[in-house]
Amino acid sequence: MISHPRYSPEAISELCQAYPLLDQLVALRPVSWFNPERLPAEQALTAVGLTADDVQDASQRLDRFAAYFSVAFPETATSQGRLESPIQPIARMQQALNEQFQTNLTGELWLKMDNLLPISGSIKARGGIYEVLQHAEKLALKAGLLQRTDDYAQLHSEPFRTFFSQYRIAVGSTGNLGLSIGMIGAKLGFQTSVHMSADARAWKKALLRENGVTVVEYNSDYSVAVAAGRAQAADDPYCHFVDDENSVQLFLGYAVAGERLKAQLEQAGIMIDRANPLFVYLPCGVGGGPGGVAFGLKLAFGDAVHCIFAEPTHSPCMLLGVYTGLHDQISVQDLGIDNLTTADGLAVGRPSGFVGRLMSPMLDGFYTLSDEEMLSWLGLLNAQEGIQLEPSALAGMPGPWRLIEDEGYLQRLGLTPERLGRAHHLVWATGGGMVPPAEMAKYLAQAAALDCEE
Ligand SMILES: *Cc1c(COP(=O)(O)O)cnc(C)c1O
């Protein structure tokens, strides 16, 4: 069992004095914080211990598995078994937000549509699926059933499913990670169990059960579900636990997005360099997804890319951890923040210490926003662009406007009006592709109700 420090009321009040922003976090007010300790990419990357070669290795593994996906998940056949999502400009949304914020964002607003990723309709299809593939390949290679040069389509067969059925995979999740791991784990033949926190949606649990996954439900939050999964795996040599809080494999799976985005932008005729910067806004839960993606982006674009993490006002765990330097040694609950949010993937009270320590020197900043704000952008994006996302996936949307109102940050990084005028702002839409129509209608109704209140 991993134990965490407990804080006395005195210790918390001292902390709040030393870190003035905490009072606003506790009051659940939206805050922005731009990282004064951001380092040049080269310097930050050398400190990481993971390299471009590690990401390359992950990328090649995904390539080997493309043949498997084409047959096991026929919806991926049109993309030759590659799991990737499109990017697209959202000029009407940019215009609408300019009006809402009464501030003119120059440059171009784009959307990275991970809601369209196959199999789980969220960013978790990157890291979660990758880790299961890595594990399956390792087992099959070790057993002498597979060679790296083989056609991996053969993994979609009874002999392989029988082989994998001796093994178990466990994961703790608020929903989307469980969905990704569950779908791929069960498809390969693993006995797969997903430990779900109380906030996980009923339809996600039902979908997993339909696909032969064991779903274990908890009445508490994400950390408890993860701890339960970890405990199940601890004394079972046949069980692999996907550790969302600490996994290097998950992280590398996410990081492959960097080079792929670079190729996509090139294809769209978009050049990124110091004079033409790229800003990327990533919704953050425990940190693995946005952290891994940001790592890949830094490898691909160096100092030309600026990564900003977005969190709900009720679950600002990564901001709290990085800002205080306490990382996973503190949770939002320690400050009396409830970690209750409608933003599924983001309801995490304690950040990944691994990701926070590794990534904080590479990140430009963090901000928080309310559930109402996410819902309101959910409605606006649907109205302006006809694109439907889940609430978490909208967390990045106001990021560009938060950034351009922070003079200190812009000056510190030399972000002149000229450079900003040539910038691309990419909002990472992390999920929503699998939300059932009836659930989406509820989100849209909630968004519409908010508009009426105004
Ligand atoms: C999981 C998730 C995130 C954040 O990823 P973390 O690795 O938990 O930080 C963001 N958006 C959605 C929709 C997610 O499911």
Side-chain angles (χ1 to χ4, degrees), residues 93-111:
M93 186 68 178
Q94 182 171 356
Q95 187 55 40
L97 286 167
N98 275 338
E99 281 161 26
Q100 292 264 344
F101 290 117
Q102 306 270 309
T103 310
N104 189 38
L105 178 75
T106 58
E108 283 182 34
L109 186 66
W110 283 60
L111 196 64

Side-chain angles (χ1 to χ4, degrees), residues 115-139:
N115 56 307
L116 298 181
L117 281 176
I119 303 173
S120 72
S122 83
I123 188 171
K124 301 298 192 313
R126 299 182 182 278
I129 289 177
Y130 173 74
E131 174 153 350
V132 175
L133 300 182
Q134 195 267 346
H135 181 62
E137 185 186 54
K138 194 176 69 187
L139 291 174

Side-chain angles (χ1 to χ4, degrees), residues 121-124 174-177 204 222 244 254 282-291 318 344-346 348 390 392-393 429-432:
S122 83
I123 188 171
K124 301 298 192 313
T174 63
N176 286 339
L177 183 64
K204 292 182 185 170
Y222 164 87
D244 199 13
Y254 288 119
L282 293 148
C284 180
V286 72
M318 189 59 80
D344 287 10
L346 311 185
V348 178
E390 64 182 281
S392 324
T430 44

